[in-house]
Amino acid sequence: MLLNKAKLSGMFLAAAALWRDNIALLSDIDSRFGDGDHGVTIGKIATLFTSSVEGWGDASLHDFIETLGEDIMSIGGGSAGPLYGSLIGGLAVPLGTEESIDGPMLKKMLAASLEEMFDLTTARAGAKTMMDALIPAVQAAGEAEGDVADILLAAAKAAEEGARATQNMVSKFGRARSYGEQTLGTPDAGAVSTSLLFRGLCNGALA
């Protein structure tokens, strides 16, 4: 399997749909120890995913993804916009003029995305943030054997496991940090939305 414009379009649309289906869940999780608006912000990003795909035009894969990342950064609603803007925009870094993406290139894209995030946040695994889903997803993708589908499946599974693991962590970033051990038992909203992103992208690729 190779990811071309049509396949990538389906992936972003599938991720947007899954995010929209979980807006209420994400806001509920975030309301327990945060501002309660994470679902709303994710909904805005999902809408941007859809409108961007519909207006893709003649832009290359690199330019589309890079522009999408930049547009996400401008979305208000706390840190989600800049974080997801960097995550998505970082995927474009290794891409040149390629019109399709194979397994090795996908691994490079995910690794570049993680590096962009490392430059933006000091959060690492165990801090109960979206990084607890992103880091294992990228690591699993890098270690996966097979084609694009195998890589995406491995990343999605690892992201979901990482998000679930945040239930057993104490928040160390953001507003939730002030609640300390009260945050035990509740997953991190950003980690959950990140896991939904990877599952949606995977679903879209396999459709």
Side-chain angles (χ1 to χ4, degrees):
M1 177 191 294
L2 292 175
L3 302 181
N4 55 19
K5 178 179 177 179
K7 185 62 72 172
L8 279 174
S9 294
M11 290 168 65
F12 281 115
L13 291 176
L18 190 55
W19 265 346
R20 281 193 293 269
D21 288 344
N22 287 276
I23 287 175
L25 170 66
L26 294 171
S27 288
D28 175 64
I29 295 172
D30 191 41
S31 69
R32 300 177 195 180
F33 305 105
D35 296 325
D37 61 351
H38 189 66
V40 174
T41 304
I42 290 299
K44 292 178 181 178
I45 300 175
T47 297
L48 181 58
F49 271 20
T50 301
S51 62
S52 295
V53 168
E54 292 174 348
W56 189 323
D58 297 326
S60 65
L61 302 186
H62 171 276
D63 291 351
F64 172 79
I65 295 173
E66 183 179 64
T67 299
L68 178 58
E70 292 172 351
D71 290 343
I72 293 171
M73 287 187 183
S74 66
I75 290 178
S79 60
L83 288 168
Y84 273 110
S86 294
L87 190 160
I88 297 298
L91 294 170
V93 173
L95 275 172
T97 58
E98 289 88 346
E99 296 182 0
S100 62
I101 299 165
D102 60 10
M105 175 55 72
L106 178 59
K107 291 184 179 185
K108 290 179 182 178
M109 292 170 66
L110 291 169
S113 175
L114 183 58
E115 285 302 314
E116 289 291 311
M117 294 294 284
F118 282 157
D119 288 341
L120 182 65
T121 176
T122 58
R124 297 295 184 266
K128 195 163 185 161
T129 71
M130 66 188 294
M131 300 298 279
D132 285 295
L134 179 60
I135 292 173
V138 175
Q139 290 177 337
E143 296 168 359
E145 297 181 358
D147 66 3
V148 165
D150 298 303
I151 294 168
L152 289 170
L153 282 167
K157 180 179 179 180
E160 289 165 348
E161 292 174 350
R164 282 194 294 271
T166 61
Q167 295 183 71
N168 302 316
M169 299 175 188
V170 174
S171 294
K172 298 178 182 178
F173 279 80
R175 182 176 176 181
R177 178 177 57 181
S178 64
Y179 289 88
E181 292 190 357
Q182 295 179 56
T183 60
L184 286 170
T186 299
D188 177 70
V192 174
S193 64
T194 300
S195 71
L196 291 169
L197 170 64
F198 276 96
R199 178 54 63 184
L201 293 174
C202 181
N203 290 346
L206 298 178

